[in-house]
């Protein structure tokens, strides 16, 4: 299961056997504080079968027809019969839970990420848009990059000596494993399944990768005494890199990593047949993280700026611009433009957004406080340029990857914006959960456009449990369905509307509480289905049913990623006719991204964004009006 490749721990998911003990990704250091904390965390429970099935039927109500619901009701009854297939799978799943550290995490890692064959670009890797920085030239770009590197190294020192503060949610400590996976790691393409390698298990890498004009460099970031290079030293090294990569006619080798995973796996094997290439690739994979020094892109008007930079973070703008200035399998890549635009893109298999947001918050604090420590001007060696020998086969693969990527880039429809009317504080002052309020507003916006609700996914953290990742909060609920239908009904009294709104918000918050305690339905159903596959029993009818397909076709795929820094995350839709919506609610405003595909005539990111703004405001007005009419 865990293969040791040289000094590296690699997870080869294809080699996993059913029922074996799985540590999804090996943490950096086993003994010590980290391990003691991890051991003290509860294990992810398997919810009771009947509870999940009941909730499944309830969840279907607003999104399937009466006829479909009746049919599914029948299938659920058969599945739930005493001594039936449901009970057998449940028992197997409980046995698995007893034998593993987390019954879900390895299946999830494989299914959601490593075995998913879609390109990571747009389909999986989220982008993060950071506040525009106050510089406009190359010096500023390099100075900011130097500070970023120093800030990440400062954060890394907390990981290395296990002093990272343990986070909590609702007063309970959270699993910290994801923090140990985001640095010095990389996804590696494979046919059928990729793998994920964390290179900090034994000998910790001491370099970062810098990319400029499609050329990759190895930059050592520690002095021989183990101290990190200062911002000044880093700046000087970046200058050297910049000057030795001025040619702009280089093959965009990194663009290969944007491909469909099977194509990329083939191209990867061709690429690393050459020893020099193999060594260069290893160097990128092993590096602590990457800094992409992007080429200038055409200026856009202020109102387009955020959406434009959001797109740059997600895909790099296409082969003409900066998409080749990345290695998309690298877990963490900062992107720094010359005009003060900056952000990052991260490969999702090892971690959810919040640890990335926490790292960013730390880096931003660090950048504010640390002004130049004067460095001893000992000359440092020139960072090594990573060489690639480009054969005609590789060139052909690059051309194919360019074409595919450019189609994906043209298909991306994205709107990033700041909602300025109010933020979390107003919603809290009304004794409502801000997150639930936003989700219900999104249901209202969608209903107003389409006249119906669709399956909606919101990420819920399972990090209260050892090696926990996520479950799903379903925002299209019985309560939200009643509210969205009432809101624009002129026959309804305002007082009644506000009551229905509160009920919808509270029901959402209540389901959130269940989800983070491991009692939601999605991962349980997923687990039962996978158990059937592992036990080699026929896939039960409930998983072959139309309702099930409708329930898992998420037209709205959403996520809250809060951060102290005024940043914004974005990701693509998960279905061709869907939207991706991500938000960072701040005290007095909220940052949103909405994505869709241009190839789908029914979706339009700017339109949903507009309706969302209106829904948030209309709900606020309803509250304010009904509050004052009570006086
Ligand atoms: N009245 C007043 N205040 C309230 C309230 C109410 N009825 N309900 C909630 N609040 C407060 C909370 O106490 C909290 O206060 P704080 O800002 O002082 O901490 C704040 O409002 C926010 O709470 P809420 O909006 O309800 O959301 P949350 O912070 O609990 O987050 C989730 C909800 C679902 C986002 C969170 O549980 C979660 O799972 N996060 C991880 C998601 C994730 O992994 N995303 C990335 C996927 S890659
Ligand atoms: C830096 C922001 C990252 C947000 C990514 C995110 O929300 O990913 C979700 C992960 C999960 O397991 O719920 C998946 N989603 C994008 C499809 C919602």
């Amino acid at each position: 299961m865990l293969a040791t490749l040289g000094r590296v721990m690699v997870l080869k998911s294809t080699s996993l056997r059913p029922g074996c003990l799985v540590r999804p990704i090996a943490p950096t250091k086993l003994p010590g504080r980290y391990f003691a904390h991890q051991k003290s965390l509860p294990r992810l429970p398997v919810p009771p079968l009947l509870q999940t099935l009941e909730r499944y039927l309830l969840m279907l109500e607003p999104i399937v027809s009466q006829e479909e619901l009746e049919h599914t009701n029948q299938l659920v009854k058969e599945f739930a019969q005493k001594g039936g297939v449901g009970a057998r799978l449940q028992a197997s799943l409980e046995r698995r839970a007893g034998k593993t550290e987390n019954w879900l995490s390895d299946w999830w890692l494989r299914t959601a990420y490593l075995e998913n064959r879609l390109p990571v670009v747009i389909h999986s890797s989220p982008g993060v848009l950071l506040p525009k920085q106050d510089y406009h030239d190359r010096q500023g770009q390099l100075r900011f990059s130097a500070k970023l590197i120093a800030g990440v190294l400062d954060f890394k020192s907390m990981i290395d000596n296990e002093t990272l503060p343990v986070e909590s949610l609702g007063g309970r400590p959270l699993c910290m494993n994801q923090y140990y996976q985001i640095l010095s790691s990389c996804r590696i393409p494979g046919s059928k399944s990729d793998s994920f390698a964390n290179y900090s298990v034994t000998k910790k890498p001491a370099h970062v990768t810098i990319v400029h004009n499609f050329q990759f460099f190895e930059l050592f970031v520690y002095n021989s005494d183990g101290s990190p290079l200062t911002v000044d030293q880093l700046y000087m090294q970046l200058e050297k890199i910049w000057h030795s990569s001025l040619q702009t006619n280089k093959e965009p080798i990194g663009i290969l990593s944007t491909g469909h995973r099977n194509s990329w796996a083939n191209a990867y094997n061709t690429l690393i047949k050459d020893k020099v290439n193999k060594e260069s690739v290893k160097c990128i994979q092993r590096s602590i993280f990457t800094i992409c020094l992007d080429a200038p892109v055409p200026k856009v008007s202020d109102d387009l700026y955020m959406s434009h930079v959001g797109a740059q973070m997600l895909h790099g703008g296409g082969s003409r611009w900066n998409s080749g200035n990345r290695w998309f399998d690298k877990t963490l890549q900062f992107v720094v433009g010359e005009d003060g635009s900056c952000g990052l893109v991260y490969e999702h298999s090892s971690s959810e957004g919040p640890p990335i947001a926490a790292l960013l918050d730390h880096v931003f604090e660090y950048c504010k406080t640390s002004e130049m420590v004067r460095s001893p001007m000992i000359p440092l060696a020139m960072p090594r340029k990573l060489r690639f020998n480009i054969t005609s086969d590789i060139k052909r693969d690059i051309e194919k990857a360019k074409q595919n990527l450019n189609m994906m880039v043209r298909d991306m429809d994205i709107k990033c914006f700041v909602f300025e009317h109010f933020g979390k504080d107003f919603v809290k002052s009304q004794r409502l959960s801000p997150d639930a309020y936003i989700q219900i507003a999104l249901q209202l916006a969608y209903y107003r456009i389409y006249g119906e609700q669709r399956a909606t996914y919101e990420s819920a953290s399972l990090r209260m449990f050892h090696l926990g990742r996520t479950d799903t909060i379903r925002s299209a609920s019985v309560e939200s369905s009643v509210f969205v239908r009432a809101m624009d009904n002129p026959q309804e009294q305002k007082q009644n509307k506000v009551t229905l709104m509160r009920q919808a918000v509270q029901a959402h918050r209540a389901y959130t509480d269940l989800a983070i305690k491991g009692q939601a339905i999605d991962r349980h159903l997923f687990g039962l289905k996978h158990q059937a596959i592992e036990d080699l029993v026929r896939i039960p009818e409930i998983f072959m049913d139309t309702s099930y397909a409708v329930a898992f076709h998420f037209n709205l795929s959403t996520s809250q990623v809060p951060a102290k820094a005024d940043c914004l995350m974005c990701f693509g839709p998960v279905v061709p006719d869907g939207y991706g919506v991500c938000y960072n609610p701040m005290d007095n405003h909220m940052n949103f991204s909405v994505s869709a595909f241009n190839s789908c005539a029914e979706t339009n990111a700017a339109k949903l964004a507009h309706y969302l703004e209106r829904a948030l405001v209309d709900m606020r007005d309803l509250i304010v009006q009904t509050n004052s009419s009570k006086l």
Side-chain angles (χ1 to χ4, degrees), residues 48-113:
L49 182 64
L50 295 185
Q51 171 185 300
T52 292
L53 295 176
E54 256 169 45
R55 287 186 181 148
Y56 174 52
L57 290 172
L58 215 58
M59 168 277 271
L60 290 176
E61 273 187 35
I63 54 171
V64 302
S65 69
Q66 194 53 37
E67 212 185 337
E68 275 162 354
L69 192 60
E70 274 161 28
H71 177 65
T72 307
N73 227 319
Q74 204 46 46
L75 297 182
V76 165
K77 264 195 199 133
E78 285 160 26
F79 184 73
Q81 258 169 19
K82 247 191 160 170
V85 63
R88 285 209 303 280
L89 294 175
Q90 175 77 2
S92 284
L93 200 54
E94 285 168 1
R95 269 197 301 280
R96 177 182 168 91
K99 285 191 294 202
T100 53
E101 292 183 287
N102 183 312
W103 62 263
L104 172 65
S105 53
D106 176 61
W107 277 345
W108 184 248
L109 175 68
R110 278 163 36 178
T111 313
Y113 299 107

Side-chain angles (χ1 to χ4, degrees), residues 68-351:
E68 275 162 354
L69 192 60
E70 274 161 28
H71 177 65
T72 307
N73 227 319
Q74 204 46 46
L75 297 182
V76 165
K77 264 195 199 133
E78 285 160 26
F79 184 73
Q81 258 169 19
K82 247 191 160 170
V85 63
R88 285 209 303 280
L89 294 175
Q90 175 77 2
S92 284
L93 200 54
E94 285 168 1
R95 269 197 301 280
R96 177 182 168 91
K99 285 191 294 202
T100 53
E101 292 183 287
N102 183 312
W103 62 263
L104 172 65
S105 53
D106 176 61
W107 277 345
W108 184 248
L109 175 68
R110 278 163 36 178
T111 313
Y113 299 107
L114 302 181
E115 289 172 5
N116 187 341
R117 301 289 80 197
L118 286 174
V120 291
V121 178
I122 296 172
H123 298 287
S124 179
S125 297
V128 183
L129 169 61
L130 297 177
K132 192 169 199 292
Q133 299 299 304
D134 191 19
Y135 64 76
H136 306 277
D137 54 13
R138 190 234 322 163
Q139 272 84 4
Q141 179 187 28
L142 300 187
R143 174 76 51 199
F144 180 66
S145 302
K147 283 191 183 181
L148 271 182
I149 298 174
V152 180
L153 295 181
D154 193 58
F155 188 80
K156 181 174 179 289
S157 69
M158 290 196 291
I159 296 177
D160 291 345
N161 53 35
E162 299 181 23
T163 51
L164 207 59
V166 172
E167 290 176 309
S168 64
L169 184 64
R172 302 194 197 193
L174 297 183
C175 173
M176 298 298 286
N177 184 54
Q178 294 179 21
Y179 281 94
Y180 292 81
Q181 314 302 337
I182 56 186
L183 296 175
S184 312
S185 59
C186 199
R187 180 162 165 164
I188 297 166
S191 53
K192 296 208 178 86
S193 178
D194 294 354
S195 48
F196 178 85
N198 180 345
Y199 297 88
S200 56
V201 177
T202 46
K203 188 170 182 284
K204 291 189 194 311
H207 67 283
V208 301
T209 311
I210 309 293
V211 212
H212 179 232
N213 283 333
F214 308 154
Q215 296 152 70
F216 291 79
F217 290 81
E218 174 189 54
L219 167 60
F220 280 99
V221 288
Y222 292 99
N223 291 303
S224 51
D225 64 358
S227 61
L229 297 194
T230 63
V231 172
D232 269 356
Q233 287 177 309
L234 289 165
Y235 177 80
M236 287 188 311
Q237 295 298 77
L238 290 174
E239 278 247 293
K240 291 181 200 161
I241 289 176
W242 197 89
H243 283 293
S244 60
S245 49
L246 290 174
Q247 319 89 311
T248 51
N249 59 347
K250 296 291 173 186
E251 283 297 335
I253 191 85
I255 215 139
L256 290 171
S257 62
T258 65
H260 181 279
R261 301 309 293 179
N262 287 346
S263 321
W264 172 212
N266 284 335
Y268 180 83
N269 288 334
T270 311
L271 180 70
I272 62 168
K273 266 190 208 140
D274 179 289
K275 257 175 116 177
V276 173
N277 295 350
K278 188 175 181 172
E279 205 277 325
S280 296
V281 167
K282 262 275 103 57
C283 184
I284 299 171
Q285 291 168 335
R286 283 179 49 82
S287 62
I288 303 169
F289 61 98
T290 300
I291 296 256
C292 310
L293 298 172
D294 269 15
V297 291
K299 263 198 163 28
V300 292
S301 61
D302 284 353
D303 53 328
L304 291 180
Y305 175 80
M306 279 181 78
S307 305
H308 177 77
V309 181
Q312 285 292 316
M313 295 310 142
L314 272 182
H315 55 55
S319 64
R320 257 195 84 196
W321 305 105
N322 289 299
S323 301
N325 215 42
R326 317 268 186 273
W327 190 269
F328 279 98
D329 289 354
K330 190 73 198 149
T331 307
L332 188 59
Q333 301 197 90
F334 286 91
V335 175
V336 186
E338 243 184 54
D339 58 354
S341 62
C342 56
L344 66 85
V345 54
Y346 90 90
E347 199 290 303
H348 209 329
S349 29
S350 61
S351 168

Side-chain angles (χ1 to χ4, degrees), residues 467-598:
L467 304 179
R469 298 285 307 253
T470 58
D471 207 320
T472 312
I473 307 164
R474 288 184 170 262
S475 317
S477 62
V478 171
E479 293 82 357
S480 65
S481 152
V482 175
F483 164 64
V484 298
R485 281 164 178 77
M487 182 66 177
D488 296 332
N489 181 351
Q491 318 292 328
E492 287 284 356
Q493 298 290 318
K494 279 197 173 145
Q495 207 57 56
N496 196 32
K497 288 182 189 180
V498 85
T499 305
L500 295 176
M501 187 194 84
R502 281 188 174 276
Q503 282 169 355
V505 172
Q506 278 153 6
H508 187 89
R509 183 61 236 183
Y511 195 82
T512 300
D513 285 331
L514 290 176
I516 61 178
K517 289 181 184 141
Q519 299 296 320
I521 64 169
D522 279 60
R523 300 299 182 269
H524 188 200
L525 291 171
F526 167 93
L528 292 165
K529 188 174 163 192
H530 275 258
Q531 198 60 59
I533 297 168
E534 297 234 326
D535 292 353
L536 300 176
V537 297
R538 247 185 73 205
I539 303 291
E541 289 292 318
I542 61 160
F543 301 122
M544 316 287 273
D545 181 27
T546 309
S547 294
Y548 190 81
V550 171
F552 284 85
H553 187 89
F554 289 110
N555 290 83
L556 281 169
S557 166
T558 79
S559 186
Q560 175 183 159
V561 185
K564 289 196 194 87
D566 197 6
C567 56
L568 171 61
M569 289 77 185
C570 36
F571 47 77
V574 294
V575 293
D577 56 344
Y579 291 99
V581 180
C582 196
Y583 48 95
N584 174 15
M586 312 286 285
D587 290 343
N588 296 305
H589 68 275
M590 308 181 196
N591 299 333
F592 281 101
S593 67
V594 178
S595 66
F597 293 120
N598 285 318

